[in-house]
Amino acid sequence: MAPELIPFADGTVLVSFDLTVQETVWNSSARRSGSCEQAYIQVSDRTGRFSRLDINWLVDVQAWVPVRGASTAELASVDDSWYLMDITGTQRC
């Protein structure tokens, strides 16, 4: 989604956009070696015990950008929330 800009009367601008955050999650104490910790994971169409999950988080971001000359404490306010998790790869225990 292209960034959406919504101006307010006080000069503040709301910037809204989506982004993808890539993350690898390990479910073992020794990462690539060793047994998995006791966890049973159900995500998407994959159910079972995994030692590695490659994840794409799709995140909705809204940032309020203040007027020029704002104090440091008012420089930006960001609200984000993920709305979709896509598992791109797994490694079973």
Side-chain angles (χ1 to χ4, degrees):
M1 170 176 127
E4 181 181 355
L5 305 177
I6 303 172
F8 290 90
D10 65 358
T12 303
V13 176
L14 172 62
V15 182
S16 180
F17 59 93
D18 292 341
L19 62 85
T20 301
V21 177
Q22 295 178 331
E23 184 175 10
T24 298
V25 177
W26 294 93
N27 179 33
S28 68
S29 55
R31 290 193 175 242
R32 292 175 178 81
S33 62
S35 61
C36 283
E37 297 173 1
Q38 296 298 313
Y40 191 79
I41 302 171
Q42 181 170 348
V43 286
S44 181
D45 58 348
R46 304 168 197 221
T47 302
R49 290 170 56 91
F50 301 102
S51 63
R52 189 199 79 233
L53 294 173
D54 298 319
I55 301 172
N56 280 346
W57 299 96
L58 300 181
V59 181
D60 177 46
V61 179
Q62 292 186 331
W64 284 263
V65 182
V67 295
R68 181 179 296 178
S71 69
T72 302
E74 300 172 332
L75 283 183
S77 174
V78 177
D79 177 29
D80 60 7
S81 60
W82 69 274
Y83 61 90
L84 182 61
M85 179 179 71
D86 181 29
I87 304 299
T88 59
T90 59
Q91 176 179 313
R92 290 194 176 274
C93 294

